[in-house]
Amino acid sequence: MDIRLLKETDSSAYSELWRTALEEQDEFFRISIQDEPSPQIQTEFSKESFTLGAFINGDLLGTVSIQRNTQTKLNHKALLFRMFVHSSASGKGVGKALVNEAITQTKSIQGLRQINLTVLDVNPRAIHLYNSAGFKVFAHELESVKIQNEFIGELQMVLFVSTPNKQLKLTPATKSVASVGTLVPRAP
């Protein structure tokens, strides 16, 4: 497996992979193929806005993107998004390798303190992956998205890449979230 930064020349392979994601695993994403029939790389090919790709035998089989917030009061945060591993590479450590590499590269961004992400609460494999990488749930929005006439909740998670100013007290999350082993930080 080779993990590297995607370039503009990878756009076609990226678009094909994301079409597969949105067609085959629609229930795990907040966007739909109707919203984005020709998915494009959403980042700017820079140190603070990048997409990683996992290649096996030359085929792009997984991606994850990082985007630093550019607003003055929020630029200590980055968003991890568009995480997907093709079913043919599932269970081979591709997702873990992508998330770990994204975290490693994000830690080198000067002044960045945290990485945020959202994940639908019906995706226990992704939740487990993010928990194992050190992310913690800080919010659970019920009925966040509507997929095929069913309302789905969404978890918001955070990983501090530098020590927060205050120690967070972690408490068990709601029963639905706690069942997948997550914790919710609460201010002292």
Side-chain angles (χ1 to χ4, degrees):
M1 174 178 23
D2 178 36
I3 294 181
R4 66 168 173 80
L5 292 168
L6 293 188
K7 303 174 280 195
E8 289 185 51
T9 55
D10 296 308
S11 293
S12 178
Y14 177 90
S15 183
E16 183 180 329
L17 182 65
W18 261 98
R19 280 192 61 80
T20 300
L22 298 177
E23 290 171 348
E24 295 180 6
Q25 296 186 14
D26 177 62
E27 71 275 16
F28 295 137
F29 296 103
R30 61 194 324 224
I31 59 172
S32 72
I33 196 70
Q34 292 81 12
D35 298 328
E36 196 170 350
S38 298
Q40 301 300 310
I41 298 173
Q42 300 291 307
T43 54
E44 300 168 7
F45 308 103
S46 72
K47 181 177 179 171
E48 297 183 351
S49 176
F50 60 87
T51 297
L52 294 171
F55 293 82
I56 298 176
N57 299 323
D59 295 324
L60 179 62
L61 295 177
T63 66
V64 65
S65 295
I66 293 284
Q67 174 78 48
R68 184 180 196 163
N69 197 314
T70 57
Q71 294 174 303
T72 302
K73 293 182 180 182
L74 300 175
N75 72 2
H76 63 288
K77 299 178 182 185
L79 178 67
L80 183 148
F81 65 107
R82 295 248 175 154
M83 172 71 193
F84 175 68
V85 174
H86 192 276
S87 59
S88 66
S90 181
K92 297 179 181 176
V94 174
K96 184 175 186 174
L98 280 166
V99 169
N100 287 340
E101 182 61 24
I103 292 168
T104 298
Q105 291 201 27
T106 303
K107 285 181 177 180
S108 71
I109 300 173
Q110 186 174 0
L112 198 82
R113 295 180 58 90
Q114 64 189 56
I115 306 170
N116 293 333
L117 63 84
T118 62
V119 59
L120 298 185
D121 64 10
V122 295
N123 193 346
R125 288 186 73 179
I127 295 166
H128 176 74
L129 170 65
Y130 299 136
N131 277 326
S132 70
F135 285 87
K136 303 293 182 206
V137 172
F138 68 89
H140 186 188
E141 181 182 355
L142 303 175
E143 298 188 0
S144 176
V145 281
K146 185 178 178 184
I147 300 174
Q148 300 173 2
N149 294 319
E150 182 180 349
F151 289 99
I152 307 294
E154 184 174 50
L155 303 177
Q156 296 175 19
M157 301 180 81
V158 63
L159 173 70
F160 288 95
V161 294
S162 65
T163 307
N165 288 335
K166 297 179 182 179
Q167 275 298 348
L168 298 176
K169 292 183 181 177
L170 301 177
T171 58
T174 62
K175 288 182 182 180
S176 64
V177 176
S179 67
V180 290
T182 59
L183 298 174
V184 176
R186 186 186 312 169

